[in-house]
Amino acid sequence: MATKKGVFKSCLFGCLGLVVFGVLISGVSALLAWRSLDDQDIQESDTHPVTAEIYEARTASPGRVKLNLGQGEFRILSAEPGEGLRIETRYDKEAYYLEDDFVRNPDGSWAYSLGFRRTMPGLQAIFRAIMGADNKTYVHVYLPPDAPIALEVFVTEGGFDAELGGLWITEADIVFSKGGFNLDVDEPLREPMERLRVKGSMGGFETSRLGNASPRYLDVACRMGGAEIDLSGEWVRDCDASISIRMGGMSVRIPEGLDVVQSGDFLGETRPADLDSPHPTLRLDVSQKMGEIDIRRQ
């Protein structure tokens, strides 16, 4: 019995120690946040890091845009024709860090990268916002519609909206963790996309009208999260799609007018491709583990 009491006391004091430690950490974070209120350095800019002169529509010099984003509000939009790539930002320099780089290659192609992240500890940033700090933080990226662009997006502990309708996206690679995003293709791209890859963990995302992108290859993998995938839109060619979920849920909406050949873990109706069909074919491979994928016709 004495041994059990000793174990109980040890556990009790251990828990109390953790509580006290947590209170101390919170108190220190609150104090640092209060002291830093007067140190805000709000940065606002509207820049053109890749001007229209860098490429010409008739030569279609390809570009690559790489975005590495964290802890903020992010949007990807279409710039005006002939405007070039444009970046709008607003953030507190004392709490966030932004860096970007532009490279023009001898063959005329170009690459632009942008990184944005919070440098202040998360708990301190929360207390700072509660105490009235200016918390309006965003990065808006306007992509030129008259240049072929390969897009790479990495998002951590944040979210973004991407509106790609009318752009010339050759391929897109989107990776997110502890966050999520919304991807909408409200009108057909200038040219069909070669590949769209989405990989996420501990978050969720939603896509709308992916048929307007008509990717030749579609690869979606989600872990410990969820997704809603809308494949409506104007499909102009066949698509090989791989959809997988682990510890989560996903819904896939397939429009009429798109033939489907299903394989993998999905137990719904399967049928051979109709070679005489005038419609594009979606070859769909499904994998689900400790989760569920709901596939329905719209």
Side-chain angles (χ1 to χ4, degrees):
M1 182 65 67
T3 302
K4 292 183 178 180
K5 287 184 177 181
V7 172
F8 176 76
K9 288 182 179 180
S10 298
C11 292
L12 178 60
F13 285 122
C15 292
L16 288 175
L18 290 175
V19 171
V20 171
F21 181 74
V23 171
L24 287 175
I25 292 296
S26 299
V28 171
S29 298
L31 179 61
L32 292 174
W34 176 71
R35 287 183 174 179
S36 66
L37 284 177
D38 295 332
D39 296 331
Q40 291 189 89
D41 184 5
I42 304 300
Q43 303 286 314
E44 290 189 73
S45 66
D46 187 347
T47 60
H48 292 73
V50 185
T51 63
E53 289 74 19
I54 296 298
Y55 58 85
E56 298 179 3
R58 65 175 182 273
T59 59
S61 299
R64 178 171 294 274
V65 175
K66 183 176 180 179
L67 308 175
N68 197 331
L69 311 169
Q71 302 96 20
E73 174 198 326
F74 312 108
R75 296 189 69 188
I76 299 176
L77 304 159
S78 175
E80 295 296 327
E83 182 181 25
L85 187 147
R86 181 163 64 90
I87 308 295
E88 288 183 354
T89 61
R90 189 181 194 279
Y91 63 98
D92 181 0
K93 194 175 181 180
E94 293 298 313
Y96 293 87
Y97 177 72
L98 183 147
E99 61 179 349
D100 64 347
D101 183 58
F102 169 72
V103 176
R104 187 176 184 183
N105 301 313
D107 62 359
S109 63
W110 53 273
Y112 175 75
S113 62
L114 182 148
F116 183 86
R117 66 180 184 274
R118 188 179 61 217
T119 56
M120 179 177 291
L123 190 58
Q124 183 178 342
I126 292 173
F127 278 116
R128 208 164 183 249
I130 293 174
M131 294 176 183
D134 189 327
N135 202 37
K136 188 177 182 182
T137 301
Y138 60 78
V139 176
H140 296 170
V141 180
Y142 292 81
L143 300 179
D146 37 16
I149 293 175
L151 180 64
E152 297 180 43
V153 183
F154 303 87
V155 181
T156 303
E157 295 182 4
F160 79 95
D161 291 322
E163 301 173 21
L164 304 185
L167 292 173
W168 193 351
I169 306 297
T170 58
E171 59 180 315
D173 194 346
I174 301 172
V175 179
F176 69 92
S177 175
K178 300 178 184 178
F181 71 92
N182 178 72
L183 171 63
D184 184 22
V185 190
D186 61 349
E187 61 178 295
L189 301 184
R190 177 163 171 172
E191 297 288 341
M193 187 184 296
E194 181 65 19
R195 180 183 297 275
L196 172 60
R197 174 176 174 263
V198 179
K199 184 177 181 180
S201 62
M202 300 176 66
F205 67 94
E206 180 178 352
T207 67
S208 302
R209 296 171 281 196
L210 285 189
N212 287 331
S214 291
R216 184 183 302 276
Y217 301 101
L218 174 64
D219 185 4
V220 179
C222 190
R223 179 171 61 89
M224 297 178 67
E228 295 185 12
I229 302 174
D230 171 26
L231 296 178
S232 63
E234 299 181 18
W235 285 92
V236 297
R237 64 179 178 185
D238 295 351
C239 174
D240 291 325
S242 174
I243 308 292
S244 66
I245 187 72
R246 183 175 182 181
M247 298 179 67
M250 184 182 299
S251 67
V252 181
R253 299 294 176 261
I254 301 175
E256 295 295 334
L258 184 64
D259 294 338
V260 180
V261 178
Q262 301 161 352
S263 63
D265 294 338
F266 183 60
L267 300 178
E269 178 186 358
T270 60
R271 58 181 174 77
D274 184 354
L275 299 180
D276 296 327
S277 173
H279 304 136
T281 297
L282 175 69
R283 290 178 284 271
L284 183 60
D285 181 72
V286 177
S287 174
Q288 48 194 7
K289 185 176 182 180
M290 299 177 66
E292 183 178 0
I293 299 177
D294 177 31
I295 301 177
R296 296 183 183 180
R297 283 283 187 180
Q298 288 182 323

